[in-house]
Amino acid sequence: MPAEVRFAVARIVQESLTNAMRHAPLATTIDARISVRADGVDLDIVNDGVRPRTEAAQSQGGPGFGLPGLRERAAHVSGTLQAGPADGRRWAVRASLPLPLPAPAGAEGALEDNAP
């Protein structure tokens, strides 16, 4: 697994757990599942606490990058991330990160152009 994807997985899980502790103090469980497939990694972090009421509530509670930062981390490795209420009083963060990483735009043939 590419280092960028490993790093994104670790940071998304870490920030999701931090957010759950910060914004769902009544949670009794936080489930974090990481599923690795040949073509990608799926993350599913769900807590049973009271979900945040507003975007303003999500931004309170100290330093951090919150949901926009999580989405940026996923996008950096060409992945997607959704976060929001699930099953009533649960909050879910779900990310899908592709493997292997797509080549950067214009990278195809770059070595051929520099060949003698």
Side-chain angles (χ1 to χ4, degrees), residues 10-25:
R11 293 303 306 213
I12 290 169
V13 171
Q14 181 182 31
E15 185 72 17
S16 296
L17 294 174
T18 299
N19 286 347
M21 292 170 44
R22 182 178 295 147
H23 299 295

Side-chain angles (χ1 to χ4, degrees), residues 75-114:
H76 181 72
V77 293
S78 301
T80 60
L81 184 136
Q82 298 83 33
D87 302 328
R89 296 177 61 90
R90 297 172 61 83
W91 184 265
V93 175
R94 294 188 169 101
S96 182
L97 312 176
L99 289 176
L101 289 175
E108 291 184 32
L111 293 177
E112 297 171 358
D113 293 340
N114 295 328

Side-chain angles (χ1 to χ4, degrees), residues 29-46:
T29 62
I30 302 172
D31 295 318
R33 296 175 193 232
I34 302 170
S35 302
V36 181
R37 306 178 319 278
D39 64 342
V41 180
D42 292 324
L43 308 174
D44 195 25
I45 302 99
V46 180

